[in-house]
Amino acid sequence: MLPNPYTPGDRPRVFVGRAAERQLLRDKLARIAAYGEMMGALTIVTGPRGVGKTSLLRDVAGQAEEDGFVVAWVSCVKQHPFLAEIVDRVEHSLERAEVAAPGPRRLKDLTVELSAGFAKVRARLEAGPVAQPTALVGPLEDLLGRAGRLVRERGGSGLIVMIDELHAPLESTREWEYAPEQQALLHGGVLLNAVQNLAGERAGLPVGVIGAGLPQTKSLLTRAATFGERSHELVLSEFDDTDAALLLTEPATALGVTWSLDAVAEVVETARGYPQSLQILGAATWDAARPEPGSVLDLAAVTAGSQSAHSALASIFEARWAVATSAERAFLVAMAQVERPVVRRGEIAALLSTSTEALSMVRRNLIVKGIVEEAGYGRLRFTIPGFERFVLDQTTGREEH
Ligand SMILES: Nc1ncnc2c1ncn2[C@@H]1O[C@H](COP(=O)(O)OP(=O)(O)O)[C@@H](O)[C@H]1O
Ligand SMILES: [Mg+2]
């Protein structure tokens, strides 16, 4: 049997679509490489969970490394300060680059030359809670600038810092008001501020910082900002039918397996352009069919795989349901009961016999958690297709007991 080429939850084997976003990010990096200049304001890729943010960043990171960049990859954690992690990852990426690029372009002793810079930022971070961002902005700016220049002096293109899950540190610690973890919030401000300063100076600073996070990331960061520093947002949405079909067929084609048209249509319809669901359905169909080179995945294979696809999708839903508080669950149930893709805030309030104002914090938290998203003014929808069905099943399941 051929190995399953689908990658639910992981970086895709064949990256499809996202031509415009990929190009935009690559152009920004090309400018760093060409002029040795700072990329500009912090760029944040946003979108619901499973839409492909991490995959896009990984793809751009891979390309950047081929183009001679050193890439530091940071994955943020819920309600946790993250600057120490950035410093660690920058140091690691430089060490790795030295191993990976021996010879004339060797990044020799990079970390040794930078050790004073690392030590300075670390000392500030380890000294305990910082009240003023200014204590950290300068050292961070300095470290990123120097690291980028050193990479370049040794024949590389510059330093890219990629920060995934950037919304997570800024998540509220309380349900009824926005109460972020204070140091995490401060770190958000420091990051924006440092990147802004570097972008202002620009010349001789071959550095780029790209983040990714849930749809609220930009507005959460703006709250963390001290002087209204700017960031640039790149919003990812669902795949159109053409790209959705390619996501299914390309990995199979690479192994000599094809999909029948009606099977593709069925999966594309079920997944509603959602890459995570497409990968799950693709993987399940493949496992059910156990194709060999020359095989065709048909509607029967899709049906045969649907049971296991269903439980894989259910576990995604369960993870979301698990992080919702009881007030949030009541909100989700009301929303699901409307049984339309886009729901007005007022309809939910009416079903819960309350006002939209009283629900505003619950609504905000659900958006921050990536479970629902805004769909025009005063309107909401579930971020992942099929979730409303799951929510309704939860409630009927409960009533039976
Ligand atoms: N451009 C793409 N091409 C193919 N598969 C993709 C693409 N983008 C995302 N995926 C798939 O969708 C799923 C979710 O992607 P991921 O990048 O983890 O989303 P996010 O970071 O937004 O939560 C993964 O299984 C991944 O393989
Ligand atoms: Mg991700």
Side-chain angles (χ1 to χ4, degrees):
M1 186 175 105
L2 290 165
N4 194 320
Y6 297 96
T7 51
D10 277 322
R11 186 179 171 183
R13 237 171 273 287
V14 183
F15 185 94
V16 301
R18 305 293 185 218
E21 292 86 357
R22 222 181 186 184
Q23 196 54 49
L24 192 144
L25 292 172
R26 285 185 177 181
D27 286 349
K28 284 177 188 272
L29 300 196
R31 211 166 55 205
I32 305 178
Y35 303 115
E37 282 189 352
M38 173 68 185
M39 184 183 94
L42 176 68
T43 298
I44 323 167
V45 176
T46 64
R49 235 182 272 285
V51 84
K53 303 176 295 295
T54 303
S55 300
L56 176 64
L57 251 55
R58 290 271 183 214
D59 175 75
V60 173
Q63 179 70 46
E65 280 173 342
E66 278 178 29
D67 294 342
F69 284 96
V70 168
V71 180
W73 183 277
V74 178
S75 201
C76 293
V77 176
K78 191 170 157 175
Q79 295 149 5
H80 265 68
F82 56 95
L83 289 183
E85 185 65 12
I86 292 187
V87 175
D88 279 355
R89 300 323 300 175
V90 168
E91 189 171 25
H92 260 93
S93 64
L94 293 173
E95 280 165 3
R96 241 188 347 167
E98 168 149 39
V99 176
R105 297 180 57 162
R106 189 176 156 95
L107 302 166
K108 190 163 154 281
D109 296 334
L110 259 188
T111 48
V112 175
E113 284 183 43
L114 279 173
S115 62
F118 285 117
K120 200 161 151 194
V121 185
R122 283 215 177 90
R124 292 276 164 87
L125 289 169
E126 280 159 12
V130 173
Q132 285 301 320
T134 41
L136 288 167
V137 172
L140 180 65
E141 219 182 294
D142 209 49
L143 177 67
L144 295 179
R146 284 166 48 106
R149 274 200 299 273
L150 274 170
V151 171
R152 196 143 178 111
E153 278 165 21
R154 276 154 186 79
S157 299
L159 172 75
I160 307 296
V161 181
M162 293 202 166
I163 313 174
D164 202 7
E165 304 278 308
L166 191 47
H167 62 277
L170 306 168
E171 268 185 28
S172 182
T173 58
R174 268 185 257 142
E175 188 180 354
W176 296 104
E177 57 179 331
Y178 180 61
E181 203 283 325
Q182 281 307 303
Q183 287 300 298
L185 183 73
L186 184 122
H187 284 192
V190 169
L191 175 73
L192 264 187
N193 211 213
V195 173
Q196 175 108 338
N197 291 348
L198 289 168
E201 276 183 55
R202 189 151 216 145
L205 295 165
V207 175
V209 184
I210 303 175
L214 293 174
Q216 289 298 95
T217 309
K218 186 178 158 127
S219 72
L220 292 177
L221 267 178
T222 306
R223 282 168 170 253
T226 38
F227 312 106
E229 290 85 355
R230 268 170 304 171
S231 56
H232 177 219
E233 187 177 23
L234 199 59
V235 180
L236 288 193
S237 44
E238 297 84 355
F239 278 13
D240 61 22
D241 287 358
T242 310
D243 285 340
L246 282 175
L247 189 152
L248 285 177
T249 55
E250 292 286 289
T253 308
L255 297 176
V257 173
T258 49
W259 280 76
S260 72
L261 284 177
D262 54 355
V264 171
E266 171 70 19
V267 171
V268 166
E269 161 96 33
T270 309
R272 285 201 259 144
Y274 199 68
Q276 175 104 319
S277 307
L278 288 162
Q279 291 281 358
I280 288 174
L281 289 156
T285 304
W286 186 279
D287 283 341
R290 305 173 65 89
E292 287 166 11
S295 300
V296 178
L297 300 173
D298 57 13
L299 210 47
V302 175
T303 309
S306 69
Q307 183 72 35
S308 93
H310 221 78
S311 51
L313 289 168
S315 68
I316 295 184
F317 297 150
E318 267 151 25
R320 284 162 195 238
W321 188 248
V323 297
T325 64
S326 54
E328 290 164 10
R329 288 180 183 183
F331 188 100
L332 293 172
V333 170
M335 201 171 142
Q337 278 166 348
V338 177
E339 298 211 6
R340 254 181 290 110
V342 174
V343 182
R344 278 183 294 111
R345 291 196 312 220
E347 292 177 280
I348 302 166
L351 278 166
L352 294 172
S353 314
T354 182
S355 66
T356 56
E357 293 73 29
L359 290 173
S360 73
M361 200 58 221
V362 174
R363 186 177 67 240
R364 262 247 301 282
N365 285 335
L366 284 169
I367 294 174
V368 171
K369 288 177 181 173
I371 299 173
V372 306
E373 63 188 352
E374 271 156 359
Y377 181 76
R379 286 156 200 275
L380 296 168
R381 68 167 169 228
F382 290 103
T383 52
I384 173 169
F387 192 62
E388 56 271 42
R389 197 64 272 144
F390 172 85
V391 169
L392 291 175
D393 288 350
Q394 297 307 103
T395 52
T396 50
R398 208 159 283 153
E399 277 155 17
E400 278 161 19
H401 291 111

